[in-house]
Structures are given as structure tokens and as C-alpha cells.
Amino acid sequence: MTARISLTPPRTLLNRIGSWYSRRMYGKVLDPGLAIGHNRKVLLTNVKLERSVTKWNALEPALKHLAVMATAARINCSWCMDFGHWEGSELGLSLDKISQVPQWRDHREAFTELELQVMEYAEAMTETEPNVADELAEALLRQLGEAAFVELTAMVALENLRSRMNSAFGLTSQGFSEACAVPSRT
């Protein structure tokens, strides 16, 4: 699939700075940034949001990452899954474990009970009509505490925004991972 939007935004100072920063941080310019670069206000808001999110620290980074990956897999965003493998590697997470997230129900033994609940919660929140069971929310609240539960919920909502935008833009893998394709759900 080809991107539905040009990945050559106007060469404004803001877009040039964004490209420089992206190359410095990730080794290449991220396609979502190029797509969003067509709208200055959306780009600035997105940058501010993403920078703020990096300061959230109530939820364990590995759990946060599993929630993001489960959300991206549920939406079927191959760009997000590809980038998520790179991010997981940067966090020091097992790539074998991360690669099993799209079909976590078939690989339950690879995850802790809390990790399974986090991924179940992420998927339930991602449904077109969210379908979070009271029991699941209560169990997560007990185990994580309120601050981490709020952060988990916000991360899943944010990844819904990212994945849905990237999918709607038609963005696919940028080569961050050999295992970038989202396995089909059986």
C-alpha cells in the first residue's frame, strides 16, 4: 500500500527541524511526522503531546509498551507494530515476547497475569464501542493503583489516536523491524 498523503510536506523551518530531530533520534525521518507536517498546528500539538507523554512515569514502561503494542495490533497498524519493535528493543524488552503480542491469547504462557490483563484492557478499550469489563478494571486498579491505571488508560487512548491516524494515512512499515507485519488474527 502506498501512503494516502504525500510524505513530502512543505519545507518549512518547523518541518526541517522535525526531520533533523527524527533522524538524530531514530536514524530516519518518521513517516507519521512527514504526514502530519502538512498541518503546522496539528504537528505542533502532536509534538507537545508526545513530549509530555515521555514524562509520565506511574506505569511500568514494559506494561505501557505492551498496552501500546496490543492497541496497535488490534487496529492492525503495521507502521506502529514495526516502530513498536524498535521501541521495545530500546527498552530492553524481549523481541520474542513483543512479537507475540498480536496473538497474545495463543501465547499466554509468555506473559504474566498482569501483562495479560493489561493487553486485554487495551483491546477492550480499542473496540469501536469500548467494552471494558468492570471486573478487569477493578483488578487492574487493585494491582496498579489509581495513578498507573489512569496512565494505562491514557496510553491506550493515545495509541488509538496514533494507530488510527497512521492507518488512515496508509502508512506501513519503515523497516524498524523485520517482524513488522501484524499477523492476522485467527
Side-chain angles (χ1 to χ4, degrees):
M1 169 185 264
T2 308
R4 294 183 180 111
I5 185 168
S6 164
L7 297 180
T8 52
R11 287 203 35 87
T12 64
L13 178 60
L14 178 62
N15 283 333
R16 290 193 317 263
I17 290 170
S19 293
W20 169 83
Y21 178 80
S22 183
R23 271 191 295 277
R24 184 171 166 239
M25 291 297 295
Y26 311 109
K28 58 181 85 177
V29 180
L30 303 181
D31 287 350
L34 294 172
I36 295 170
H38 290 282
N39 184 311
R40 183 179 196 280
K41 289 180 182 178
V42 173
L43 177 61
L44 286 170
T45 300
N46 189 67
V47 167
K48 184 177 179 181
L49 173 62
E50 292 291 351
R51 288 183 54 100
S52 296
V53 169
T54 63
K55 297 174 186 159
W56 296 354
N57 62 4
L59 183 64
E60 179 187 326
L63 292 176
K64 190 180 305 188
H65 189 70
L66 289 174
V68 165
M69 292 292 287
T71 302
R74 184 69 184 100
I75 291 171
N76 203 24
C77 178
S78 67
W79 191 93
C80 301
M81 293 300 293
D82 176 42
F83 188 71
H85 278 81
W86 179 86
E87 282 185 312
S89 175
E90 291 292 301
L91 286 171
L93 302 178
S94 161
L95 292 181
D96 289 337
K97 189 175 198 173
I98 292 170
S99 69
Q100 294 181 19
V101 170
Q103 297 173 332
W104 61 268
R105 284 182 174 82
D106 297 333
H107 303 283
R108 298 180 73 81
E109 68 284 348
F111 302 98
T112 68
E113 187 60 34
L114 180 56
E115 290 170 339
L116 292 169
Q117 289 174 332
V118 163
M119 290 185 291
E120 181 180 358
Y121 184 77
E123 283 189 357
M125 258 189 80
T126 301
E127 293 298 321
T128 300
E129 183 176 321
N131 191 20
V132 176
D134 290 339
E135 300 79 24
L136 177 58
E138 290 167 8
L140 285 167
L141 267 165
R142 265 193 319 277
Q143 294 177 80
L144 298 174
E146 291 177 338
F149 180 75
V150 168
E151 190 169 311
L152 170 63
T153 303
M155 284 306 303
V156 173
L158 176 58
E159 186 56 32
N160 266 271
L161 170 70
R162 293 171 181 152
S163 291
R164 291 177 189 278
M165 281 180 59
N166 292 341
S167 292
F169 287 149
L171 303 181
T172 57
S173 169
Q174 255 188 280
F176 283 98
S177 165
E178 295 301 317
C180 62
V182 179
S184 60
R185 300 182 81 205
T186 52

